[in-house]
Amino acid sequence: MKYKELIAQMTLAEKASLMSGKDFWQTQNIDRLGIKSMFLADGPHGIRKQAAAADHLGLNASIPATCFPPAATISNSWSTELGETIGDYLGKEAVAQRVNVLLGPGVNMKRNPLCGRNFEYFSEDPYLAGKMAAGYINGIQSHGISACVKHFAVNNQEERRMSIDTIVDERTLREIYLTAFEIAVKEGKTKTVMSAYNMLNGTYTNESTHLMREILRDEWKFDGVVVTDWGGSNDRVAGLLAGNELEMPTTAGETNDEIIQAIQSGAIAEEVLDECVDRLLELMFTTEEVYKNSQQQEVDIEAHHRVAQRAAEESIVLLKNEENILPLKKGTKVAIIGDFAKQPRYQGAGSSIVNPTILDNTLDYFDQSGLVSVGYESGFERYGNKNTKKLDKACALAKEADVVLFYMGLDEVTEAEGLDRQSMKLPDNQLELLQALKKVNANIVAVLSCGSVVEMPWIYNVKGLVHGYLAGQAGGRAILRVITGDVNPSGKLSETYPLRYEDTPSYHQFPGKEVSVEYRESIYIGYRYYDTANIEVLFPFGYGLSYTTFKYSNIQLSKNEVTFELTNTGNVVGMEVAQLYVGCKSEAIFRASKELKGFTKILLNAGETKTVTIPFDDKTFRYFNVKTNKWEVEEAEYEIMIGSSSSDIKLADTISIEGTGAPLPYDKAQLPTYYSGKANHVTEAEFENLLGFKVPIAKWDRSKPLGYNDTIAQCQYAKGGFARFAYHLIVFVYRFLNKIGKRSTANIIMMSIYHMPFRGVARMTGGIMNMPMLDGILMMVNGQFFKGLKHVIKEKNKLSKINKENKTIAAATKEM
């Protein structure tokens, strides 16, 4: 241990105190030993350090910071260099705000388009997500502070995220859901990892020795710190044994006492605690180094804003350009229609909300575009209500224009942390307006703003479609520059757009509503499923148009790399994302027809040709063998494919690869659906054959009393009339708020109350309520109202007395 001598000077209570927060965002300090508090701040795409009372859901405004485009947007750039640049600027701002640990990036897979937090994640592909994350981490940590890759692992739905049990087979876990984390750890060398809320195959991830020790520590050699998601600790002692150093936020010493008692009773050895303290001290001291003898750094707000603009420009995806309607020529008369033009949708909602330093919108910069505006109309109500007067005004304006720019998308309360979307559809009032506009002006260019996949049956009503995703604080100007051709779009989709939600591989298994969610589709998520099962999609993974054209030629293979030539055959400079896919020709082990194994982004002048090389790496040919419990290589012929998307393969060749000689992991006869690739409707029996164990019962046992890990929503089945009344009151208030248009407040009720497990009431209140008080509440819930109430009052008085004594001791110590 590096800090053995320092740890030897600590009391057991002091060591335990370091294992949880001092408050909502800071770690505990020990002044007598020179140990300062660390500050942890949300920051996947911008620093969220709150100036007022701290909270987890972004309710209180934070100190202004650059709001870069979120991960869902930047992943469309397919540029690890851009990711590192954004990380660099995030790191600069974090240091300026004296932040030690920046809580990001998020690398959870986009298993299903309706996950409410997809805007905060990179891709449906683990290789792309991992490489982008490593870029971010390298940029952030170049300033001496720590990034924190999250949420480890299989956190792919928001509903019931704090208690849902994710059932997934080991191969899928490794190949799909852990590979991005592996790259973030091994290549990004992240100093901190955040554990997820959910369970994995019956064990909370924060307590999983398989995840935290066998894979993260032993296999990947991670020697940094694991921090819980906020309120994500279930059993603190079990978490410590698994290797979780830091629980956040504070529990006012309650869980520290649990650690002390476990050591004193011999349940765990003190050496386990010492190891955790040692790793935490290393993070504390190394991230504090940048602040020693240094003056407060100033941020160049304009320079950072320009980087945010460049990031948006490189990530915008051109999805449709019928009759080459884009780019618009200077002098074109344009009607600007849509609420998102005036009030841009530029980031997601929840803990990642950034208070931007500057906020561009289309109307402010239109005069600089060279286009001629005939006016602006909002056209529709932002949150879905119908408004005929607004529609009529928009159509009247559209008649006066050569081209209509229609700004459409999803609102802030539809895509939010803590909630999953109900459908893949855009609001009806926007689609009705689009149909009406088409009748008066056929030249419509839609500008889409949303952080996740939507259905587009309306696409035939537009000639151009520019997808800005969530473009950050500088997105308004960036999108205009793409529309006018000042910037040639180079973004490519990092997720597949199916024709309809029913086509998605997890359609029948999302979300888990009660106890568990089953990942029956196995490895077949995203393009792996659509391409293997031959399902028609609207836009394939990796798709994106340009104002120029590219030619691929002269593929050459070696054992270590693939080389080819790429030519810009158009008239303007442009960037192309060349994608390497690999497909195994053997049928002995079920696989996707192709998997992304490399990519590169190349800038080419008009007429220019470059020789491009994409190297193979340790992930190019591997698969995880559940019999050997290791990564193996199957001896076989492999097709090496170079494409501009997963479905547009330009060049292909084959290579013979020597295998590792591992035994076949599966009995093909028992897994017919998986070998066919049509894995969106797998039977329970076949899924159990894949898992190697029985799936748990997915429904709540309504006969049992409610406990710590049951949710407030389950009060509908409680024995206590008080609890059932509380449940119906919560539902009534939620519906009432929705009806009167207070959807954001209604969402907060769902994410912070309705789906909260009872233990979260204690874990998320910063010590205001402890577990003994919670025991009293559960008595009330389970039909012992007066006994429970008496217990709550008794434990509340005890807690108040202890807090008073602690304050007295702290004051006396300070005077000394």
Side-chain angles (χ1 to χ4, degrees), residues 320-587:
K320 184 176 183 181
N321 197 16
E322 185 180 313
E323 300 174 8
N324 290 320
I325 192 170
L326 295 173
L328 297 182
K329 295 180 176 61
K330 293 189 185 300
T332 302
K333 291 194 298 182
V334 173
I336 308 162
I337 294 171
D339 188 68
F340 294 106
K342 189 173 184 179
Q343 301 292 333
R345 172 84 203 289
Y346 60 96
Q347 64 176 328
S351 63
S352 66
I353 285 180
V354 178
N355 184 11
T357 55
I358 301 169
L359 183 57
D360 293 350
N361 69 51
T362 301
L363 302 183
D364 289 342
Y365 294 99
F366 207 82
D367 290 344
Q368 303 172 16
S369 68
L371 303 175
V372 177
S373 171
V374 299
Y376 160 78
E377 289 291 344
S378 63
F380 59 83
E381 297 282 356
R382 191 178 189 89
Y383 298 109
N385 293 331
K386 293 186 179 182
N387 189 318
T388 304
K389 187 179 290 186
K390 285 190 174 185
L391 184 149
D392 291 341
K393 283 185 176 181
C395 288
L397 182 67
K399 292 177 182 177
E400 302 174 21
D402 299 324
V403 174
V404 173
L405 285 182
F406 182 39
Y407 285 74
M408 62 194 303
L410 296 176
D411 60 62
E412 295 82 357
V413 295
T414 299
E415 293 182 287
E417 177 184 352
L419 297 165
D420 296 314
R421 288 195 291 152
Q422 298 303 303
S423 78
M424 272 176 49
K425 301 179 188 300
L426 288 181
D428 288 340
N429 65 338
Q430 294 185 36
L431 303 186
E432 288 169 8
L433 173 59
L434 178 58
Q435 287 182 325
L437 291 171
K438 175 73 180 294
K439 293 176 181 177
V440 298
N441 191 331
N443 294 323
I444 300 173
V445 173
V447 179
L448 185 60
S449 297
C450 54
S452 49
V453 171
V454 294
E455 292 177 1
M456 299 186 191
W458 45 265
I459 196 169
Y460 305 104
N461 290 323
V462 303
K463 287 186 177 179
L465 177 54
V466 176
H467 200 341
Y469 265 71
L470 302 177
Q473 68 178 49
R477 184 186 291 185
I479 290 169
L480 270 179
R481 281 170 54 79
V482 167
I483 287 170
T484 59
D486 290 338
V487 170
N488 187 354
S490 62
K492 300 264 191 173
L493 293 176
S494 57
E495 54 190 334
T496 308
Y497 276 61
L499 289 169
R500 56 186 194 138
Y501 178 58
E502 290 80 0
D503 293 338
T504 58
S506 56
Y507 169 69
H508 295 286
Q509 305 293 333
F510 182 91
K513 285 289 185 182
E514 296 191 5
V515 174
S516 62
V517 56
E518 297 170 10
Y519 285 30
R520 293 194 189 185
E521 71 280 359
S522 184
I523 62 170
Y524 297 107
I525 77 165
Y527 72 90
R528 285 170 166 79
Y529 168 69
Y530 299 114
D531 289 357
T532 307
N534 295 314
I535 305 297
E536 184 183 358
V537 299
L538 180 63
F539 294 118
F541 176 78
Y543 177 87
L545 300 174
S546 171
Y547 294 149
T548 189
T549 53
F550 299 95
K551 179 185 176 183
Y552 292 72
S553 61
N554 195 23
I555 186 171
Q556 296 183 20
L557 288 182
S558 74
K559 287 186 176 181
N560 301 315
E561 61 189 27
V562 57
T563 301
F564 56 95
E565 290 183 350
L566 185 64
T567 304
N568 182 342
T569 53
N571 299 318
V572 295
V573 63
M575 288 187 283
E576 170 71 339
V577 177
Q579 302 155 40
L580 164 64
Y581 295 92
V582 175
C584 181
K585 293 193 167 234
S586 167
E587 295 182 356

Side-chain angles (χ1 to χ4, degrees), residues 5 29-30 34 128 130 186 251 348 359 412 462 497 570 587 599 662 706 709 720 727 736 814:
E5 292 182 8
N29 56 294
I30 305 176
L128 176 58
K186 290 182 176 179
T251 59
L359 183 57
E412 295 82 357
V462 303
Y497 276 61
E587 295 182 356
F599 58 91
L706 298 183
N709 291 319
Y727 165 79
F736 177 74
K814 197 171 184 181

